[in-house]
Amino acid sequence: QLQLQESGPGLVKPSETLSLTCTVSGGSISSSSYYWGWIRQPPGKGLEWIGSIYYSGSTYYNPSLKSRVTISVDTSKNQFSLKLSSVTAADTAVYYCACATVLPFSWGQGTLVTVSS
Amino acid sequence: QSVLTQPPSASGTPGQRVTISCSGSSSNIGSNYVYWYQQLPGTAPKLLIYRNNQRPSGVPDRFSGSKSGTSASLAISGLRSEDEADYYCAAWDDSLSGPWVFGGGTKLTVL
């Protein structure tokens, strides 16, 4: 049973970089079967896809966030990470990591990140 | 502004059948599979339907999905109080918007 768990700071200052890690258990992050991705949900709002990475290292980013987003994989730790730079209050959200074959079938529980000074 | 369009709300009484629509375009729903997710309050989304109409193990057959052209629908029959949740459609998108695109979500209220 594939499980994902997000971790990282719950509070980030404006203009700084948000950094989150997703630890994968019950499966290998190097598997050619999966995409790994990040999705966020601002309070009271809907889901927004941030970006995805394939086992080959190919990355795909939401055009509206592309200039600020980096997603990477650490195969030695079975983890993948999200970095979002120059954050503002609009980036306050619950951030989910997810695993997909086409679209997500397994999600982490989510972690709330608040952008505030 | 979500790439896929859903009604913001839907409602029904226990035992009723409710449908939720999801509208897209040729680059997403029109040429790729549709997925549906259920999000109970305070929890992560859970996969409800994949590949337009397939149910993961453990999802009751009260939930069904369909697709026609650039639109899709989720139907819930025999509505129960525990079905009150937010429902999201999603699809792979072949354009620069993707590859993952979501609907804005529909809040289902069981009256």
Side-chain angles (χ1 to χ4, degrees), chain A residues 4 6 22 35-39 80 96-100 104 106-108, chain B residues 100:
Chain A
L4 300 92
E6 305 89 350
C22 182
Y35 288 88
W36 308 95
W38 290 94
I39 300 114
F80 64 104
Y96 296 101
C97 61
C99 178
S106 184
W107 299 62
Chain B
W100 298 354

Side-chain angles (χ1 to χ4, degrees), chain B residues 6-100:
Chain B
Q6 298 179 236
S9 63
S11 63
T13 56
Q16 265 191 332
R17 183 177 187 270
V18 171
T19 61
I20 296 171
S21 63
C22 176
S23 177
S25 67
S26 58
S27 66
N28 42 66
I29 294 178
S31 54
N32 295 296
Y33 290 124
V34 177
Y35 283 49
W36 289 91
Y37 300 91
Q38 177 192 59
Q39 186 176 34
L40 297 170
T43 69
K46 167 192 164 186
L47 181 62
L48 204 59
I49 297 287
Y50 67 100
R51 293 188 179 183
N52 301 334
N53 55 21
Q54 302 298 302
R55 286 184 306 277
S57 174
V59 173
D61 60 7
R62 301 187 298 106
F63 294 91
S64 61
S66 64
K67 186 185 102 167
S68 178
T70 59
S71 294
S73 291
L74 172 71
I76 309 171
S77 60
L79 199 61
R80 298 184 175 184
S81 58
E82 58 260 37
D83 298 333
E84 187 161 292
D86 293 324
Y87 293 86
Y88 293 89
C89 61
W92 185 276
D93 193 301
D94 296 323
S95 76
L96 294 177
S97 299
W100 298 354

Side-chain angles (χ1 to χ4, degrees), chain A residues 71-109:
Chain A
I71 295 176
S72 59
V73 167
D74 186 338
T75 55
S76 67
K77 295 181 179 179
N78 222 36
Q79 296 175 334
F80 64 104
S81 298
L82 168 70
K83 291 188 185 301
L84 181 65
S85 64
S86 305
V87 297
T88 69
D91 295 309
T92 293
V94 175
Y95 286 75
Y96 296 101
C97 61
C99 178
T101 46
V102 177
L103 280 147
F105 66 87
S106 184
W107 299 62
Q109 66 182 27

Side-chain angles (χ1 to χ4, degrees), chain A residues 48-51 60-69, chain B residues 3 95-101:
Chain A
E48 179 183 32
W49 170 66
I50 300 170
Y60 310 85
Y61 298 133
N62 186 321
S64 67
L65 299 170
K66 186 173 183 177
S67 63
R68 299 193 290 132
V69 175
Chain B
V3 175
S95 76
L96 294 177
S97 299
W100 298 354
V101 292

